[in-house]
Amino acid sequence: MFARKPSGSGHLGEGHHRNVTRGGYRAAVFGVSDGLVSNVALILGVAGASSGQELVRIAGLAGLIAGAVSMAAGEYISMQAQRELLERELEMERREHVRNPEHEVEELAEIYESRGVDPDTAREMATNIMDDPEKALEVHAREEMGIDPNELGNPVFAATTSFFSFALGAVLPLLPWFFGGGNGAIVASILLGAVGAVLVGSALALATNRSIVRGSLRQLVIAAAAAAITFGIGSAVGVGV
């Protein structure tokens, strides 16, 4: 059974909070970030070995397609497994309501008492809630397990979001190679990758109400490190060949 949420964390009707647990938001953020970092690293790695326009373009396209499909498949499997686990827990809770409703009333009353409700009122509230099986399941799921039965996540939506967001991030450093090659395309890929990293870091910082400068620099450093390592390896391999 899931651990009980801390006091005050399971109130119903908290509409002022954004829901970031359904999978789509997470998939979008990680998809763009992974697509950008992985493909700018791949493109510069191949460009370090051989800056031929066609070779780099094919490698970048292959990385985009393979990465997007892989991300979508992984996100779908992960979200589906999570959903099935939560559904199993909810079904177990539903059975307990039928088998031992008095115990469930006591559990819910204890939760309300821990939040400052007097015992008689807490028991009355719990009893009233248990009179409606669906409402009882929803309240117990929120209060005991910290989940919303109506918000278990959508695997298809998460997978689709992951696919297109990864592709969006991956195509950015690839764009210059559709129009040229050589050092000019390498520099353009670096610049576009840097701009993309800053935008992703800024968006994530805004969403989490954190420092935009810190978030942008963190994402930029990660992308730059990955690109520098692969470019250096590609250059060494290219010289060796």
Side-chain angles (χ1 to χ4, degrees):
M1 187 67 68
F2 287 81
R4 183 174 296 172
K5 294 184 74 179
S7 175
S9 61
H11 291 178
L12 297 175
E14 291 185 336
H16 59 284
H17 293 294
R18 288 173 301 176
N19 187 343
V20 297
T21 61
R22 298 182 64 184
Y25 179 88
R26 181 192 64 183
V29 171
F30 285 114
V32 172
S33 178
D34 287 352
L36 178 68
V37 173
S38 64
N39 223 33
V40 74
L42 173 62
I43 288 168
L44 293 181
V46 175
S50 172
S51 58
Q53 179 183 0
E54 184 175 355
L55 178 61
V56 177
R57 185 170 63 238
I58 292 174
L61 283 172
L64 185 157
I65 296 171
V69 171
S70 177
M71 283 285 293
E75 191 66 33
Y76 179 87
I77 293 171
S78 173
M79 182 64 65
Q80 184 63 29
Q82 172 185 289
R83 184 182 180 92
E84 290 171 356
L85 174 62
L86 295 177
E87 287 174 344
R88 176 178 177 274
E89 294 294 331
L90 289 172
E91 184 58 32
M92 291 173 62
E93 185 70 22
R94 191 192 302 274
R95 291 175 183 172
E96 284 300 309
H97 288 193
V98 175
R99 293 173 181 171
N100 197 353
E102 184 61 28
H103 176 69
E104 297 300 317
V105 170
E106 293 295 336
E107 277 191 342
L108 195 55
E110 287 177 4
I111 293 174
Y112 291 142
E113 286 182 47
S114 71
R115 294 179 179 174
V117 180
D118 69 84
D120 291 338
T121 303
R123 184 171 181 81
E124 181 181 357
M125 291 171 59
T127 301
N128 291 337
I129 288 172
M130 288 298 295
D131 287 339
D132 183 340
E134 291 305 314
K135 174 61 70 175
L137 179 64
E138 180 180 344
V139 172
H140 275 270
R142 288 176 182 269
E143 302 289 1
E144 291 185 47
M145 297 181 283
I147 63 174
D148 184 346
N150 301 313
E151 303 289 348
L152 299 183
N154 187 324
V156 174
F157 177 71
T160 302
T161 302
S162 184
F163 179 91
F164 285 107
S165 60
F166 184 98
L168 177 63
V171 78
L172 197 60
L174 181 59
L175 288 175
W177 299 92
F178 287 102
F179 306 101
N183 291 334
I186 291 175
V187 172
S189 287
I190 293 172
L191 292 177
L192 288 174
V195 170
V198 169
L199 291 176
V200 170
S202 298
L204 185 56
L206 286 173
T208 56
N209 197 29
R210 297 180 182 251
S211 168
I212 295 178
V213 174
R214 180 177 297 179
S216 300
L217 287 176
R218 180 179 62 183
Q219 193 71 23
L220 183 59
V221 168
I222 292 172
I229 291 171
T230 54
F231 184 79
I233 294 173
S235 298
V237 170
V239 170
V241 173

